[in-house]
Amino acid sequence: MAAKIKLKADAYTVGIIYIKPLEMNAITVMLDEGHEPILLHFEDDNEYILGKIGNHNVAIAGPPRGAQGKVAIADVVSRIRLTFRNIRVGLLVGIGGGVPYPKHDVRLGDVVVGAPEVGPAVVQYDLGKQLPDRIEVTRTLNKPPALLLKVVNKVDNKYQTLKEGEEDFLTAHLKRFAKYRRIKDLYRHPLLPDRLFLANYSHEDGTQCSSHGRRYEVERQKRDPPDEIRVHYSTILSGDLVMKAGEIRDQLSTNFGNALCFETEAAGLMDVFPCLVIRGICDYSDSHKNKDWQGYAAATAASYAREVLLTMAERVVEELKTPLNG
């Protein structure tokens, strides 16, 4: 994507945060235009990709390659407003592990958004008091900005009221990857089956999940259409450790309002840079983790983020939209 425009720092009103380069690439595919780099505040150590989605100028940033977790992400978001004083809202966009409750039917490639109707958006589940049967969380994290929660209502309305024969917005946005010959295969829907194993069945060392017998698999109804991407709104559980145990996954989820997603970064930014957390589901937070679905999950999360910004009304001061080189 050729950069064509250079704007003032104050023209940027949305911050998009990623963790992995896989997520960064998926987000940049969603840009409608790229912008030239700008002069940064001398204490701002971030590197940004600048551009526009819909009517909104966005600054995309993430931690150094290989860094992850709450500390890495907190360092990134603490510096953003040194340069971009007018950023009002943020999106944390990337992959996460799902919790396959039958009522919500979370599957690989689905999107979980930290915006439940009841309960907190993000819970740091590993910080609090360890009681005999559970962890009592003693710290409440900030909620997403009210503006974004209003936009989520509009996006959900568009999703729920899709008419027969219409193309849903996620499918439409995913088509953008077809133009990028070096990465398009990485972000396609995998040809591998989406298999969910019993919570008490642990992955056997030295084996492939494809070799596991069907007797260990949870039977689920087929979706119609089979590749439909569903969006779920739920509490997101954030902690320092990667969740890889099905029974513990289910227990923690039950303790926190049937939360549908685990990840490791959101707790590090909600109090510093309140944002909407958007996670594409790449595994089931159990011992059967693999990377086969990560690209597609990153793509679906980025597609939802694009729809949020296409839906959100423009609130940029007019004089700030004038290009420096125009």
Side-chain angles (χ1 to χ4, degrees), residues 141-160:
L141 300 174
N142 283 339
K143 295 180 179 180
L147 170 60
L148 285 177
L149 294 177
K150 295 173 185 176
V151 176
V152 162
N153 283 340
K154 294 173 66 177
V155 173
D156 188 44
N157 174 260
K158 188 181 299 185
Y159 173 84
Q160 298 292 348

Side-chain angles (χ1 to χ4, degrees), residues 231-258:
V231 180
H232 312 269
Y233 298 94
S234 158
T235 296
I236 290 178
L237 299 181
S238 184
D240 285 321
L241 299 178
V242 176
M243 179 56 60
K244 298 182 67 174
E247 291 181 300
I248 297 175
R249 170 202 69 197
D250 291 348
Q251 178 186 1
L252 286 169
S253 175
T254 300
N255 290 346
F256 297 108
N258 294 334

